[in-house]
Amino acid sequence: MITLNVNGKSMKVDTDPGTPLLWVLRDHLQLTGTKYGCGIAQCGACTVHLDGRAVRSCVTPVSMANGRQVTTIEGLAETVLGKTVQSAWQDIDVPQCGYCQSGQIMAATALLQENPAPSAAEISTAMDGILCRCGTYNRIRSAIDAAAAELKGAAK
Amino acid sequence: MKTPQAPGRRKFLKDSVALAGGLVIGFTLPLKGGRAWAADTPVAPVYPPNAFIRIGLDDSITIIVNKSEMGQGVYTSLPMLIAEELEADWSRIRVESAPVAVVYNHTSFGMQLTGGSSSIPSSWEQMRRVGASARVLLVRAAASLWSVPESECHAENSRVLHANSGQSLSYGALATAAAKLELPQDVDLKSAADFKLIGKSVKRLDTPEKVTGRAQYGLDVYLPGMLTVLVARSPVFGGKVRSFDATEARKVPGVQGVYQVPTGVAVAASGFWPAKTARELLEIVWDEGVGATLSTKGMREQYRALAKTPGLSARREGDAGGILEAAQQVIRADYEVPYLAHAAMEPLNVVVDLKPDQCTIWTGTQSQTMDHAMAAKTAGLLPEQVKIHTTFLGGGFGRRANPRSDFVIEAVQVALVVKKPVKVVWTREDDMRGGYYRPMWVDSVAGAIGQDGKPVAWRHTIVGQSIVADTPFESFMTHDGIDATSVEGAANLPYSIPNIEVGLHSPKNVVPVQWWRSVGHSHTAFVVETMMDELAHQAGQDEVQYRLALLEKSPRHAGVLKLAADKSGWGKAKLPAGHALGVAVHQSFDSVVAEIAEVSIEGGKVRVHRVVCAVDCGMVVNPDGVRQQVESAVVFGLSAALHGEISLDKGRVLQSNFHDYTPLRFSEMPKVEVHIVESHDRPTGIGEPGTPPIAPAVANALFKLTGKRLRQLPIDRATLA
C-alpha cells in the first residue's frame, strides 16, 4: 500500500510500487489532467510537482512519491503562483489542442517558483523538454513573461 | 480534400431542421468531471430552434458544433457565426459536440468530417443562417406576445426589444413560444459592415478547460468496469499472427485476458501499466508477408527509376519536352521527401461500451460518419444502435480522419472478444509505427529559361503512393488515374509558363498512407518553390521580383508576396552576419500564403530565427484564431522540414518515439509574424495553408548561406558545410 499526498489530500493506493506515478494518477485516482504522451520522459505532457519540483510522472515510480507532496494541474490553482500562471495562459489564449498544456503549465510554474524573473534563455532551457505539436511555444513564452510581471507587481 | 462549395439555401434549411419539430434533446452528465454528452433524458425544458442551437429557460445558449475541436478553434469560430446572426449574448454561449446525424453532415462532403481546412468555408453561410432563422422566430414570438408588428422589434444581446413601448424579453423567456413557430423558409443575412463579432479577435471558449486539466480527451474517458487494452500489432505492415504464447503475460497482476484479434494480440487489464507490462511478455510468431522485404532504400531506387519516365499526365500545355530538348539553359533536379508521422501529442485511443443491442464509442475522431458506419458493421448492429461521442482531440493533423476507420474498427473488434467496456490505448510507439503516414515522394523537375530569364518550359514528374487508392474516397478524388491530392500544388502551378507537363506515378505498397496537414501540398510546394528559386538565380534576378513577374494573373499570390517582402524588409533590412532570407509562396485550400524565413547555420545546425507570413484567406472570422493557425502550421511544417523522417528497413519502421522522431522544441522556435490581407471575399481555408511554404522558404535561405541546393528533406540529413 502506497500513501500519497495529492493536491493536499492523503490517499492510499494499492498497486505495484514500480507503477509510474502517471498511471496511478490517471487509472487509480482519475486525475486525468496529467497526460500520457511518450512514456519515456521525452515530451513532458505528464509533468507534475513532487515536493514543488517538476518531475516526469511517466518515469517516476509511485514508490518514489510515497509520503511526499504531489501537485497536479487539478491542484495548481490552490496557490497564488499557480493561479497566476493559469490566468496568464488564459489571457494570451495559449492552448490550441491543449493536450500538452497541463505539462507546460506545471513546468512553467516550477520554473517561476525557483526563479521568479527568468531570462529568455532560462525560459528556453526550462521549457525545452515539453513538446507542443500545435506550435504554441511563443505564446507560452509570452504567458510566462506576463505571469512573472504580474507576480513581481503583486510582491511590491 | 476537395474544396467545399456553398450549399444551396433550400437544401440547407431542410437539413438544419431535421431535428426540430418538437423533438427535445436533453443532456446529462454521465461521467465524473466530463463534458456534457447528448442523452435521452431531458434535464430542463429547452428550445431547439434547430439542431445547432438550444436556448434554455435560464437564457443559456448552447451551440452544438458539428466539427471536431483538434486545436483549430472551431468550438469558438463556429459559435461566433451563429451568435453573430442570433444576436446572442456571447458571455452565455457554451458548446457541445454534435452526435452523429445527417443534419450534422459537412455541407459539401456529405458526411460528418473535419478536414481539408474547410470548417469555416463550408459553415460560413450555413451557421449564419442557423443563427438568423432562430433570431427571426424569437422576434416573431415577442411581436406576437406584445401584439405589435415584427418590423418594430429588434434583437440584441439575447433579448428582443420593442423600442416604441420600451418592452423587452430575454431569449429564455421567449423560448417556449418561439418553439411553437414554424421555421422561416429563408432569411436575410447581415452585411459585413454590421458584424459585431465576426472579424474581432474573440477569446477561445475552450481555454478555461484546457488550462485547468478539465478538458476531456478520449484518453480521459473512464467507464465503470472498463478494462484498458493494448494490442500487440505486427512489426511489419500487413503481417498476421501465426501463433502466440501468453503464459507469462497472463501472470501479470491486473491482467484479465489475452485475446487474438484481427490486428494482433490484445491484452486486457485493469489499467495501462499492467497491460503494457504484460504485452511485453507476449511471445508472438508473425507471418510477416511481403512487407518484410520493404526498405526506404529500395523504394528510393524504385521511385527514382519511375521518375525518369513520364507517368500519367496531370497537366499538359504546349510542348515542354521539345523546348527542354532544344533549350540553352536547363536546370534538372531530383527531390525526395520522406514518410512522415502525424505524431499528435495524444496517442490514438478509443473507448467502446458494447452491449448486445447497443454500441457506444468515445473517441477523438475527425470522421464521425464513416467511423460510425464501420463500427456498426463490425459490431453487427444497426446504425441507430451505435453512438459516437466526440471528445476533444489532442491533435489530429489528418490522422484521426482515417479513410478505413482503422482505430475505431480495431477497438470494436477488441470489445467483441473482451465483452466488457474497453479503452484501447496506443502507446507512443504504437502510434509512431502504426502507419498511415504522409507518403514518401520522389519528384523530378526540369525547367528551361529563355533569353529574358523567364521560364519557357517546365516538366514535373511526381512519384508516390496515392492516399485515396482503395478507400471510399477514391471514386470521387481520383480521375483518369490521377489522385488529385498527389498533384495538388503542382498541376495547378500559378506561374505563367507557356509549356508545362506534370506527370504522376502512383506505385503501391503495404505502407498505409494518409492525409497529413496540407496533404499533397506538403511536398509539391517544396519542389516547386525551391525550383522557382533556382530559376530566378539562374536568371540572375531577385527571387521575389522574378516570381511577381510570373504572377500577373494571380493577384492574391502577388499580394501576399509583396506584403511578406515589405514586412520582412526583403532586400532592404541589414541582416546579422551569417543570416539569410528565403522566400516561398503557395496556394492551398483556396488560401494563399507567402513566407519569408530568416535562417543561419550555427555549429552545423540550422537555426530559423524569424518567419514572416502574409496570408490571404478571404474574410476573417477570428483574427487571433487565424494567427494561431498560421503559427501552428509553420511549426508543424518546420518540424518536418528540419527533423521529420519515418524510414523502414526489412519492413520495420526505424523510428519509435520523440527521441528519434523529433518535433520542433521550445529552444528552436522562431519568431512568427502573421500579417493578414484585408479581404471582403468569402473565407477560405486556414488550418493547413501555412504549412507548405515553410520548407522551401528555409531551403532557399540555406542556398544563400551555403551555395548548395537542398533537394531532400529532412534538413537534418543534409551536409551543410
Side-chain angles (χ1 to χ4, degrees), chain B residues 5-73:
Chain B
Q5 301 299 314
R9 286 182 180 195
R10 191 64 58 178
K11 179 179 181 310
F12 147 70
L13 282 171
K14 186 171 147 280
D15 286 349
S16 76
V17 298
L19 282 189
L23 173 59
V24 177
I25 308 167
F27 289 75
T28 56
L29 280 162
L31 295 168
K32 185 173 155 285
R35 290 184 71 76
W37 306 111
D40 301 323
T41 323
V43 291
V46 287
Y47 162 49
N50 53 49
F52 296 93
I53 306 172
R54 211 174 52 245
I55 296 173
L57 300 183
D58 61 353
D59 291 335
S60 64
I61 295 179
T62 306
I63 306 291
I64 293 94
V65 177
N66 64 337
K67 298 289 186 287
S68 306
E69 178 58 74
M70 47 190 173
Q72 83 282 42

Side-chain angles (χ1 to χ4, degrees), chain A residues 19-20 23 26-27 30 32-33 35-38 40 42-43 73 86 89-91 93 95-99 101 105 123-124 127-129 131 133-135 137-141, chain B residues 70-71 203-204 207-208 210-213 217 219-220 222 271-273 342-343 345-347 393-395 427-428 624 628-629 631-632 636 657-659 664-667 669-670:
Chain A
T19 305
W23 296 108
R26 293 184 56 85
D27 286 347
Q30 253 107 81
T32 56
K35 303 303 187 197
Y36 165 68
C38 70
I40 58 167
Q42 286 290 310
C43 80
I73 189 76
Q86 283 173 320
W89 242 251
Q90 189 158 336
D91 290 346
D93 250 355
Q96 291 187 26
C97 92
Y99 193 78
Q101 297 297 337
I105 289 170
I123 292 174
S124 292
M127 301 306 292
D128 212 35
L131 286 174
R133 283 292 270 162
C134 300
Y137 297 132
N138 287 337
R139 285 175 192 246
I140 290 170
R141 181 185 293 287
Chain B
M70 47 190 173
K203 292 266 180 241
R204 294 177 64 122
T207 302
K210 288 179 174 177
V211 301
T212 51
Y217 302 84
L219 213 53
D220 301 333
Y222 284 79
F272 176 93
W273 195 248
H342 303 76
M345 288 309 300
E346 180 193 18
L393 284 63
T427 63
R428 172 58 55 197
D624 200 46
Q628 279 195 333
Q629 281 309 289
E631 289 163 12
S632 174
F636 201 78
N657 205 317
F658 290 132
H659 63 290
L664 204 76
R665 288 195 177 274
F666 196 101
S667 60
M669 181 72 194

Side-chain angles (χ1 to χ4, degrees), chain B residues 70-103:
Chain B
M70 47 190 173
Q72 83 282 42
V74 281
Y75 276 17
T76 306
S77 54
L78 297 190
M80 281 173 75
L81 298 178
I82 291 181
E84 178 70 62
E85 292 288 345
L86 182 59
E87 297 293 353
D89 175 357
W90 182 252
S91 70
R92 299 298 309 274
I93 298 277
R94 56 191 293 272
V95 174
E96 283 172 6
S97 67
V100 185
V102 172
V103 67

Side-chain angles (χ1 to χ4, degrees), chain A:
Chain A
M1 198 66 92
I2 308 268
T3 305
L4 293 175
N5 187 304
V6 183
N7 300 327
K9 285 182 205 142
S10 182
M11 304 178 176
K12 287 199 193 308
V13 184
D14 183 14
T15 185
D16 180 299
T19 305
L21 176 59
L22 170 67
W23 296 108
V24 172
L25 292 171
R26 293 184 56 85
D27 286 347
H28 291 255
L29 306 176
Q30 253 107 81
L31 289 169
T32 56
T34 305
K35 303 303 187 197
Y36 165 68
C38 70
I40 58 167
Q42 286 290 310
C43 80
C46 67
T47 302
V48 298
H49 297 173
L50 197 56
D51 289 341
R53 303 191 67 127
V55 298
R56 302 285 188 268
S57 65
C58 75
V59 293
T60 304
V62 66
S63 57
M64 273 185 67
N66 199 6
R68 296 166 74 184
Q69 306 279 334
V70 179
T71 308
T72 70
I73 189 76
E74 289 90 348
L76 196 67
E78 296 301 314
T79 66
V80 172
L81 174 60
K83 214 171 185 164
T84 305
V85 172
Q86 283 173 320
S87 78
W89 242 251
Q90 189 158 336
D91 290 346
I92 290 164
D93 250 355
V94 174
Q96 291 187 26
C97 92
Y99 193 78
C100 72
Q101 297 297 337
S102 297
Q104 305 281 3
I105 289 170
M106 296 309 287
T109 310
L111 165 67
L112 291 171
Q113 178 77 47
E114 282 187 18
N115 179 357
S119 67
E122 286 167 340
I123 292 174
S124 292
T125 304
M127 301 306 292
D128 212 35
I130 325 285
L131 286 174
C132 170
R133 283 292 270 162
C134 300
T136 65
Y137 297 132
N138 287 337
R139 285 175 192 246
I140 290 170
R141 181 185 293 287
S142 302
I144 293 173
D145 286 340
E150 172 78 22
L151 292 161
K152 191 179 167 197
K156 271 184 185 165

